[in-house]
Amino acid sequence: MTHQAFSIAGRTTLGRHLIRAAVRTGRVANHLETRILRSSLLAFVPFQYRKVGIHIIKLVLVLAVASVALFLAIGMIAIWALAALSISESCDDEPEVHEVSHPQHQQKYPELYDEYGSLR
């Protein structure tokens, strides 16, 4: 039994555009690598050194992209963590008149409550 793998990103217009851009970027990189390796201007540099140089350039580019992605991921986790933290006020503060959910609201503003403890 065979399954066709579906990508959620590939189903959207933006996903298809990003996939096409990635494929084109890969093709351009391969074409550029081939041109550099076969360049007549760099004929004085041995082929193995050109190949090592290309690999070093690729490694630097991948590390640059990875560092940006890592920085963004850490930033998103930090934003998520800050958003998840509850902003709590100390219970020792006096409640304002509109803060009816405050535990001490009824004691500070008894005129707003009836004899059964319900708001008027």
Side-chain angles (χ1 to χ4, degrees):
M1 180 181 245
T2 62
H3 290 288
Q4 186 175 2
F6 288 106
S7 170
I8 301 233
R11 293 181 189 174
T12 65
T13 306
L14 178 63
R16 283 189 215 118
H17 177 69
L18 291 175
I19 290 170
R20 285 183 194 140
V23 169
R24 287 181 190 147
T25 303
R27 288 180 184 161
V28 167
N30 287 338
H31 180 69
L32 185 62
E33 179 182 353
T34 305
R35 285 187 66 192
I36 289 173
L37 289 176
R38 295 180 181 172
S39 172
S40 61
L41 292 174
L42 296 174
F44 64 91
V45 178
F47 183 76
Q48 291 298 324
Y49 291 147
R50 282 185 271 171
K51 206 170 181 182
V52 169
I54 291 291
H55 288 299
I56 290 173
I57 291 171
K58 282 183 182 179
L59 179 66
V60 168
L61 289 174
V62 167
L63 289 176
V65 170
S67 67
V68 169
L70 181 65
F71 175 74
L72 290 174
I74 290 171
M76 290 303 295
I77 291 171
I79 290 172
W80 175 77
L82 287 174
L85 291 175
S86 63
I87 301 172
S88 62
E89 298 177 13
S90 71
C91 291
D92 298 335
D93 293 339
E94 293 289 324
E96 297 293 326
V97 76
H98 62 276
E99 296 177 306
V100 293
S101 63
H102 196 281
Q104 297 174 353
H105 188 265
Q106 189 173 2
Q107 285 79 27
K108 184 166 183 189
Y109 303 103
E111 66 275 3
L112 297 177
Y113 293 88
D114 62 8
E115 59 210 29
Y116 302 108
S118 300
L119 279 171
R120 293 183 190 195

